[in-house]
Amino acid sequence: MEEQIAQNCEQSLSVSKRHSLRALSSIRSLINNPNTSNSTLSSLLETLTRSLQLTDSDSLTRHHELTLLAGLSLRHPHFSPLISNSLRSNSLLFSSYSPRLAAAAALAVISDHTVDDRFFVSLCFASSVSVRLWLLRNAERFNVRPHLLFTVCLGLTKDPYPYVREAALNGLVCLLKHVVFEDVDLIQGCCCRAVELLRDHEDCVRCAAVRVVSEWGKMLIACIDEKNRIDCLDVVFIQLCSMIRDMRMEVRVEAFNALGKVGMISEIVLLQTLSKKVLGATKEKKFHSLGAAECFEISASAAAGTFVHGFEDEFYEVRKSACSSLGSLVILSEKFAGEALNLLVDMLNDDSVTVRLQALETMHIMVTCEHLNLEDKHMHMFLGTLVDNSELVRCAARKILKLVKTPKLEFFRLFIDGLLENLKIYPQDEADVFSVLFFIGRSHGNFAACIIKEVCQEIEPDSDDKLGFDNARVAAFLVLAISVPLSCEQNVRSIPPQIFSYAVTLLGRISYALSDVMNQHSLMAYLSLCSRLSNFSEANFKGEDTPLHEAKSDDPNCTTEVSIGADIHMQKSSDEASKSRSWIHGKLKETATSRCQLEEEDEIWKALNIVLAKVRNVWSLVQSGFSKEALRILRACKEEVLTFKAESRGFDGALLFSLQYFKVLKLLTKGWEQFVPAKNIHHYEQGELEFLLGKLDRSLRELRCRFLGLSKEEELHVLELMLVSCLLRLSKFEICFYYTTMRNLSSTISHLEFLHQQGSTEPSNFVTAVKKSLFEINISHTSYRPSLFNQLLNSFSLSQLVFHGRLEHVHAELGVPDNSSENPVIFVSGLPVSIPFEITLYNISSVNRLWLRMTMSDETTQFVFLDSNLLGGCKDAKKFTYVAPFYRTPKASFTLRVCIGMECLFEDIHSVKGNGGPKRALAYLCNEKEVYFSRVSRG
């Protein structure tokens, strides 16, 4: 039957157009039918190939024929070489094909990912504009030698059609994602051509040329000797500055985006960007342009007023881009940051919310790197953002105030007034305002005490003994007051003890605001302690400077550091008073120690987040193929984090999370090597790569399961890495496990969507692209396309991981008492054996499903469920003895490898074949423990 249909199709193709289309439809059915025999498919291939060689075929028929050949190659890969050879032999006909025909022919060829150079070049120089454009836009799908692709792209930058020139320039940028070029002359030639195209008549070409100058300029900087590197950086920067006065908004945005990526620029060039007037130091400073072939010089004065023009631009997109670019440059020079602030504060009054937000983000970068120096002229504009009608703007302004430090009391007073005004107009911001007040009070203890001294009458009860704690202003002053004893400053003025008693009445509101600093129980203990200290008296408050941890006794006969109130002396015997003094003395020491720990914790958090910021920058090396350098930096970061461990108390969760995170990135880097063409990398065999990605999946699972207290941002970060892991699998046909991995990909996307909806946040471009592609695959039922997943991987960029609070590490300890190779457990072959385990669980709750996994040397595995009733609902440490049976005892002595695993509740339930084990994947909580057994006879 199949052969007869094939013969009829062959006859119909040579008849009328109507019969030809009907025959082609029948051929499509045969190709799509998985039961069609190879002999029939071979016959169809000959028929289609012969029909393509007919000169009288119309373009529509040829298009359908080429599309069928592409489908045959995709669905039956063993025919791909035959199809490719056939089309290559007819490549001279492509010049006469329409754009759609040429594209279909190319698609049929690349379905087997084998395109020879001559065939590719013949397509690239076809007469049709659409063919050239299609080839350039799909160049990544061809396995063409990088240097050949570079030559073609560089040549087509001179194409008379602007969209072809744009696509060629974009192709040059894409090349850098996969290839490392080391030839300085080649890189400089590319930069020269891009500089020429900065003056192109078409907007899209100029935009693409800016990207080439930026990316290839950085490559040129990396290749030249260190002596000339700074000058080269300045040249690239000034060349980009020349584009900020372009007539098109898109070009100006692209230019500002590129300026922030250049790197270390000379301070004098940076300062020139803030002034339209040419500075004396830059007037005579000249450089050789990147267009060095023409011996053209460029003056440093070309950068004059770059950011002034950007901030004055009529389009908010340009102003936002200028603010963002400035944020990348202010970390380079404190002087530049100070001058830039004069311009930046004007952006705080911009009509666009996005511009105001970006300006505040830049100021936040300034204060983080200690380059923010607020002056009188800045205060009005900055404090105005605290009463902005946008909640996001107000929140961003408060983030800056949390970190800012000022040596002037009048500035501190203005900060407090601004926060109180924020609280008055927007009472819904109360929690965040209280948190900021606590932080700035702690970092400005003397100033905060002065403010409390001035407003003390507002806090005290009125003449009718009524407290005004319902007043948000009074509550704010109480929060400011309770932060003073924790100040890092010396000789901090004391606070009356009754203030801390008043604060207890607002315990719920204050503890909610300070949840990232201490919990409600700690806050209550702290307030109770401070309220008992009688030396924090009104007299002391009015004049003496006594910090909490150095409070001295008023009783000359008292040898302790703290006197007890008269009420204690009157009501208790001397022995009881002595015990009370000892108790308070101990509590004071605890408070002083707690304060020191709080300061130390702040330093560790900052240091940890700085290390994580370095890790983010490593990813650009990974994408460029410098995996060895990336792994070296990751090792250095790991060693740096390990130095924190001895000093930290209560930081184990965050530090262990960081170490596990570095392990994930290490595995990700090694896996990424297989998808980035670069020199001197290790290529893994199929089994090795599958093992590597398996380790990556397990490490990501542990990262998500074994740490409690992850913020939404931290969980989103881990989920994006899980997406990358899925895409890496899907990019390799041999290890992709297509349907399982696609199910995991879909599940991860669902989790991401849920978290974004909960937090009202926007997904990253990478997540959006994956979601869109997944939707298209589900709708169109597209066959397996590794190139699609490769493209998605290229759109991934590693965001910075920032810790927002403490993490609890879920882990376990497992032991078998008195068991060793010399003292094994005795068993009888064929009968179950009992194994007494001593188990300690940390941070496990009753909702967790735990399993003992017991594996023999022949990989025979048995699972034993740990009853949740036995675990209770403890959150800290739980130690108990558990006797587990092992049923599959062999006929000889053996060793059993045992560990404890926890079901990952976020995983989809899957069926387990007959072993009664877990229904979800496990995250293992401890290392494997070996248990030794010795067989005895039944006699």
Side-chain angles (χ1 to χ4, degrees):
M1 185 67 179
E2 291 175 359
E3 288 79 2
Q4 184 179 354
I5 295 174
Q7 291 173 3
N8 292 338
C9 291
E10 185 175 359
Q11 293 171 2
S12 300
L13 283 175
S14 59
V15 192
S16 65
K17 178 179 178 180
R18 182 167 59 86
H19 286 89
S20 296
L21 293 177
R22 187 178 299 168
L24 292 172
S25 177
S26 299
I27 291 174
R28 177 178 285 104
S29 299
L30 289 172
I31 290 174
N32 292 336
N33 187 349
N35 298 318
T36 303
S37 65
N38 284 334
S39 60
T40 303
L41 292 172
S42 298
S43 176
L44 293 176
L45 174 58
E46 292 176 9
T47 300
L48 291 170
T49 305
R50 194 180 304 114
S51 179
L52 275 176
Q53 295 171 348
L54 298 176
T55 56
D56 58 346
S57 296
D58 63 277
S59 61
L60 180 61
T61 303
R62 276 186 171 175
H63 178 266
H64 284 302
E65 289 167 348
L66 288 168
T67 304
L68 287 173
L69 284 174
L72 179 59
S73 180
L74 286 169
R75 292 184 178 276
H76 307 279
H78 54 283
F79 285 104
S80 291
L82 294 173
I83 296 171
S84 299
N85 292 333
S86 174
L87 288 175
R88 290 190 187 100
S89 65
N90 291 289
S91 60
L92 294 176
L93 295 174
F94 293 163
S95 59
S96 62
Y97 283 6
S98 70
R100 293 179 67 198
L101 282 175
L107 181 63
V109 173
I110 65 173
S111 61
D112 71 335
H113 300 283
T114 55
V115 180
D116 62 65
D117 296 345
R118 186 174 63 178
F119 180 67
F120 176 74
V121 172
S122 67
L123 291 176
C124 282
F125 291 98
S127 59
S128 171
V129 177
S130 299
V131 171
R132 299 198 297 276
L133 190 58
W134 185 88
L135 285 168
L136 287 170
R137 288 175 176 172
N138 293 273
E140 290 184 2
R141 299 173 63 183
F142 297 85
N143 286 333
V144 180
R145 287 186 299 113
H147 283 78
L148 174 66
L149 189 56
F150 170 83
T151 305
V152 170
C153 288
L154 192 62
L156 289 177
T157 59
K158 296 187 178 182
D159 195 278
Y161 292 91
Y163 290 116
V164 177
R165 298 198 297 276
E166 178 198 15
L169 289 167
N170 288 336
L172 289 171
V173 174
C174 289
L175 263 176
L176 291 182
K177 295 178 181 178
H178 309 289
V179 186
V180 178
F181 292 94
E182 297 176 351
D183 188 334
V184 177
D185 293 333
L186 180 146
I187 298 170
Q188 195 163 14
C190 182
C191 291
C192 288
R193 181 60 189 145
V195 169
E196 292 173 15
L197 291 175
L198 290 177
R199 299 291 174 258
D200 196 276
H201 295 299
E202 298 295 331
D203 312 333
C204 61
V205 178
R206 296 199 301 278
C207 272
V210 167
R211 289 192 288 272
V212 173
V213 170
S214 172
E215 298 301 324
W216 281 82
K218 287 191 287 185
M219 180 67 73
L220 178 62
I221 291 160
C223 291
I224 64 175
D225 57 279
E226 199 164 338
K227 178 182 174 183
N228 300 318
R229 193 164 292 172
I230 295 296
D231 282 350
C232 191
L233 281 163
D234 289 344
V235 171
V236 173
F237 186 81
I238 295 167
Q239 203 83 64
L240 293 170
C241 284
S242 66
M243 298 305 294
I244 56 91
R245 287 184 284 276
D246 192 275
M247 294 298 292
R248 294 295 297 181
M249 177 268 290
E250 293 82 3
V251 179
R252 299 197 295 275
V253 169
E254 199 67 55
F256 275 115
N257 289 342
L259 285 175
K261 300 175 183 177
V262 176
M264 188 66 68
I265 315 299
S266 300
E267 185 177 70
I268 188 61
V269 176
L270 287 174
L271 292 173
Q272 182 63 81
T273 62
L274 303 176
S275 172
K276 291 183 179 180
K277 182 180 177 181
V278 177
L279 304 178
T282 59
K283 195 174 292 184
E284 302 299 327
K285 197 172 180 65
K286 296 185 183 298
F287 305 93
H288 284 291
S289 168
L290 289 176
E294 303 174 6
C295 298
F296 176 69
E297 286 191 339
I298 186 170
S299 172
S301 61
T306 294
F307 285 105
V308 179
H309 288 291
F311 291 152
E312 292 175 350
D313 200 280
E314 60 181 312
F315 292 97
Y316 81 89
E317 293 93 339
V318 179
R319 301 194 298 274
K320 177 180 180 292
S321 181
C323 290
S324 176
S325 177
L326 192 65
S328 303
L329 299 173
V330 291
I331 62 175
L332 303 177
S333 165
E334 186 174 2
K335 183 178 180 182
F336 172 71
E339 296 289 334
L341 186 60
N342 298 329
L343 297 175
L344 192 63
V345 289
D346 290 333
M347 294 296 99
L348 300 179
N349 200 30
D350 195 275
D351 294 334
S352 169
V353 173
T354 57
V355 175
R356 300 200 297 274
L357 277 173
Q358 191 59 59
L360 287 167
E361 179 60 33
T362 301
M363 291 182 67
H364 186 265
I365 294 171
M366 287 182 178
V367 74
T368 302
C369 61
E370 298 182 353
H371 286 177
L372 182 66
N373 184 21
L374 289 169
E375 299 177 7
D376 289 325
K377 56 187 176 182
H378 306 139
M379 297 303 288
H380 175 71
M381 298 295 288
F382 173 60
L383 294 176
T385 57
L386 290 172
V387 291
D388 193 279
N389 56 12
S390 167
E391 182 180 356
L392 293 174
V393 171
R394 298 195 303 274
C395 184
R398 291 192 295 264
K399 278 175 63 180
I400 297 170
L401 273 182
K402 265 189 178 183
L403 301 176
V404 75
K405 291 185 180 180
T406 178
K408 298 181 180 180
L409 176 60
E410 55 268 31
F411 282 7
F412 183 80
R413 199 186 305 277
L414 289 173
F415 293 157
I416 300 301
D417 290 342
L419 288 167
L420 293 175
E421 188 68 15
N422 178 183
L423 189 58
K424 177 182 177 182
I425 300 175
Y426 301 101
Q428 65 269 28
D429 294 348
E430 179 182 277
D432 204 19
V433 170
F434 283 3
S435 177
V436 177
L437 285 167
F438 185 83
F439 273 90
I440 65 173
R442 199 176 70 182
S443 56
H444 302 84
N446 277 319
F447 292 165
C450 287
I451 298 293
I452 298 303
K453 179 181 177 181
E454 293 171 6
V455 300
C456 198
Q457 293 304 316
E458 291 186 46
I459 301 174
E460 293 292 339
D462 58 19
S463 56
D464 297 328
D465 289 334
K466 291 182 180 180
L467 299 172
F469 299 156
D470 291 337
N471 187 338
R473 176 182 171 87
V474 173
F477 285 133
L478 287 174
V479 173
L480 183 65
I482 67 173
S483 69
V484 172
L486 296 174
S487 173
C488 303
E489 297 179 1
Q490 296 296 319
N491 299 321
V492 178
R493 293 180 183 276
S494 304
I495 300 296
Q498 65 269 25
I499 297 281
F500 300 95
S501 300
Y502 300 158
V504 173
T505 64
L506 301 175
L507 185 65
R509 287 163 68 183
I510 296 176
S511 65
Y512 176 73
L514 304 183
S515 57
D516 58 337
V517 178
M518 62 181 85
N519 58 33
Q520 187 166 324
H521 296 295
S522 301
L523 178 62
M524 182 64 193
Y526 168 68
L527 295 176
S528 299
L529 172 63
C530 293
S531 65
R532 291 190 179 97
L533 302 180
S534 63
N535 66 315
F536 281 12
S537 60
E538 290 291 341
N540 195 340
F541 180 59
K542 291 178 181 177
E544 298 179 8
D545 297 336
T546 310
L548 176 63
H549 62 292
E550 293 180 358
K552 298 294 182 180
S553 172
D554 294 330
D555 182 1
N557 298 319
C558 182
T559 59
T560 60
E561 291 182 351
V562 181
S563 67
I564 306 171
D567 55 334
I568 296 179
H569 285 292
M570 292 171 63
Q571 296 174 19
K572 298 187 177 183
S573 65
S574 59
D575 291 339
E576 291 174 334
S578 177
K579 291 178 182 178
S580 298
R581 282 196 295 271
S582 299
W583 181 83
I584 296 177
H585 174 64
K587 287 295 180 181
L588 274 174
K589 282 190 173 180
E590 287 178 17
T591 303
T593 304
S594 176
R595 196 191 76 169
C596 294
Q597 286 179 358
L598 203 56
E599 295 171 14
E600 182 184 335
E601 286 177 6
D602 284 343
E603 293 302 318
I604 294 177
W605 282 122
K606 289 178 183 177
L608 195 54
N609 284 324
I610 287 171
V611 174
L612 293 173
K614 293 179 188 175
V615 171
R616 178 196 177 186
N617 297 330
V618 164
W619 192 248
S620 59
L621 292 174
V622 177
Q623 290 179 310
S624 302
F626 295 101
S627 55
K628 288 185 179 178
E629 290 76 5
L631 289 171
R632 193 178 300 119
I633 294 172
L634 284 173
R635 281 195 295 272
C637 290
K638 177 182 175 181
E639 290 169 4
E640 190 173 350
V641 168
L642 286 172
T643 62
F644 300 154
K645 196 163 187 178
E647 303 170 5
S648 64
R649 288 178 292 274
F651 276 83
D652 284 348
L655 294 177
L656 290 170
F657 184 93
S658 301
L659 296 174
Q660 181 73 5
Y661 179 62
F662 295 153
K663 179 181 177 182
V664 165
L665 292 183
K666 174 185 171 183
L667 294 170
L668 199 57
T669 300
K670 289 184 175 181
W672 197 277
E673 284 181 337
Q674 309 310 303
F675 308 92
V676 179
K679 297 181 180 179
N680 302 320
I681 65 171
H682 173 68
H683 288 281
Y684 294 93
E685 298 295 333
Q686 176 181 333
E688 289 180 304
L689 186 57
E690 186 174 353
F691 177 72
L692 184 71
L693 293 181
K695 283 181 67 177
L696 176 60
D697 291 338
R698 289 192 296 273
S699 298
L700 282 167
R701 202 179 295 131
E702 290 181 10
L703 205 58
R704 192 173 174 200
C705 284
R706 294 188 58 188
F707 295 92
L708 304 178
L710 288 176
S711 67
K712 283 189 174 60
E713 291 81 3
E714 291 156 0
E715 193 168 358
L716 287 169
H717 192 92
V718 175
L719 285 170
E720 284 201 23
L721 293 178
M722 294 178 80
L723 282 185
V724 175
S725 177
C726 291
L727 292 174
L728 286 175
R729 275 194 178 278
L730 290 167
S731 299
K732 289 286 185 181
F733 174 76
E734 302 85 357
I735 59 169
C736 73
F737 305 108
Y738 184 74
Y739 293 108
T740 302
T741 309
M742 285 297 291
R743 186 173 64 244
N744 292 339
L745 189 70
S746 179
S747 174
T748 307
I749 284 289
S750 299
H751 281 113
L752 280 162
E753 283 183 332
F754 175 73
L755 288 175
H756 281 298
Q757 288 171 2
Q758 271 196 329
S760 302
T761 56
E762 291 296 323
S764 66
N765 293 334
F766 169 65
V767 173
T768 303
V770 175
K771 180 181 174 183
K772 181 180 177 183
S773 299
L774 191 62
F775 177 76
E776 290 172 355
I777 290 171
N778 292 335
I779 291 296
S780 60
H781 302 288
T782 309
S783 57
Y784 175 63
R785 285 173 53 198
S787 58
L788 170 64
F789 303 116
N790 278 321
Q791 289 174 7
L792 291 173
L793 281 172
N794 291 332
S795 67
F796 172 71
S797 61
L798 188 69
S799 58
Q800 183 177 344
L801 176 66
V802 178
F803 284 119
H804 293 85
R806 290 176 177 273
L807 300 178
E808 299 293 340
H809 184 222
V810 177
H811 62 290
E813 293 174 1
L814 179 67
V816 179
D818 302 324
N819 179 261
S820 64
S821 55
E822 289 80 18
N823 187 29
V825 175
I826 304 300
F827 76 98
V828 177
S829 176
L831 296 179
V833 58
S834 297
I835 312 168
F837 290 107
E838 288 186 352
I839 299 174
T840 307
L841 303 174
Y842 297 91
N843 301 309
I844 297 289
S845 68
S846 57
V847 300
N848 297 122
R849 292 175 57 83
L850 300 183
W851 295 83
L852 276 172
R853 191 195 72 177
M854 297 182 280
T855 307
M856 292 175 59
S857 56
D858 62 355
E859 300 305 318
T860 300
T861 301
Q862 176 188 311
F863 289 96
V864 176
F865 181 66
L866 291 178
D867 191 353
S868 60
N869 293 326
L870 180 115
L871 306 180
C874 66
K875 292 184 179 179
D876 298 326
K878 172 82 172 180
K879 188 171 184 179
F880 57 95
T881 300
Y882 185 82
V883 178
F886 183 72
Y887 298 100
R888 303 179 183 182
T889 51
K891 295 181 179 180
S893 300
F894 69 101
T895 302
L896 204 60
R897 302 193 311 274
V898 187
C899 63
I900 298 175
M902 179 176 68
E903 280 194 44
C904 300
L905 299 180
F906 62 83
E907 293 273 356
D908 294 329
I909 294 179
H910 61 271
S911 59
V912 179
K913 295 182 180 179
N915 62 357
K919 295 183 178 181
R920 298 178 180 86
L922 295 180
Y924 292 101
L925 307 184
C926 63
N927 295 325
E928 283 188 331
K929 171 73 176 177
E930 287 193 337
V931 185
Y932 299 93
F933 295 85
S934 178
R935 175 180 173 272
V936 296
S937 62
R938 300 194 185 194

